[in-house]
Structure formats: structure tokens, C-alpha cells
Amino acid sequence: MSTLDATDLKLLVALVEDPRAQIAELSARVGVARNTVQSRLKRLERAGVLRGTGRDVDLAALGYDVVAFITLEVVHRELDAVIAGLRRIPTVLEAYEISGRGDLWCRLVAADTHELQASLRQVLRIRGVIRSETVLALHAHVEYRADALLRRAAEVAAAAASAASPR
């Protein structure tokens, strides 16, 4: 989608903050009529900005199609400060403390390589970051999902319930 106005962006923020919000709640939070919320949600879904249930935002459709994974080595006594610094960078989507090579693993997005470079420089300026290694994602073959795991858990639970029931 080429252009999102302030209302579209407020609506997306409201959806991310409360994915279960109803149309009336969204209307009140964004400050527009219910019909406006409904029509904009439909338009955002048709444009691919909202996918699945209509509450999952496709960042690539918003122009953030560069995805990078960075592994950070940090001074351990500065770990909390590094994590706080990462939280202040909007392009950092996730940060995990990891075992193995490195101390933190982060997923970043950017609109282009210049924005990615600027984000990486912000990360490297955080006190306690020693070094980073960056890998660019070329294509997502399996995106974040929970449905397969939930289906398997439901099957296991159904089988256990069936085995436990008297015949």
C-alpha cells in the first residue's frame, strides 16, 4: 500500500495494542465513525497490510521489506542497559538472550539498506555492545505461526481424552 494517512496509522497502532478490540472501541480510540473504521479495515485487508484474521500487520506491505537478524556480543554487566537501548529503536522487532555464539539475537526491519545501516549504527552506539554480526533475510519460507502446533496439541488432547474415557 503506497500511502497510509494518520487515521490508517492510528488504526493500525490501536489494532497492535489491542488485537481483540471491537469496531466501536477502535472508533472511539481513533476518533472516527464506526463505518470509517470498517471501510478502512477492509481497504487495509485488500491492500495486504492486514492479513490473516485482519489483525496481523504485514510490515513489507508498509514498505519495511528489508529484514535482518543481528547477533550481538555485549558486556554482561551492561546487558539490561543494552536491552533497554534496543527497546528504544523502533526498527528492532524482537530481541532474545541466547546461548552459543553471541549474547543477544535481534530481528530488525527497514525500508531500505540505508535505514538498516542507520539502525545498526544506533545499536552499535548502545553502551555495552561490543560487536555485531548481521545477516539479511532473502525470503521467508515459514513465517511465524502457531496454528500447526495448536492443531497437534488439540489432536494429542483429543487422543488422551478418548483413551481416558470409559468404553
Side-chain angles (χ1 to χ4, degrees), residues 115-126:
E115 184 178 25
L116 176 62
Q117 182 181 18
S119 293
L120 292 172
R121 285 183 177 174
Q122 280 184 282
V123 169
L124 290 171
R125 282 194 295 268
I126 297 172

Side-chain angles (χ1 to χ4, degrees), residues 7-8 11 14-15 21-45 50 55:
T7 302
D8 292 328
L11 184 56
L15 284 171
Q22 300 297 314
I23 298 295
E25 296 171 79
L26 293 170
S27 171
R29 286 183 68 180
V30 177
V32 297
R34 291 168 54 146
N35 288 342
T36 302
V37 169
Q38 289 175 317
S39 66
R40 287 185 181 245
L41 287 175
K42 285 180 185 172
R43 185 172 49 82
L44 291 167
E45 287 172 11
L50 293 174
R55 304 297 168 125

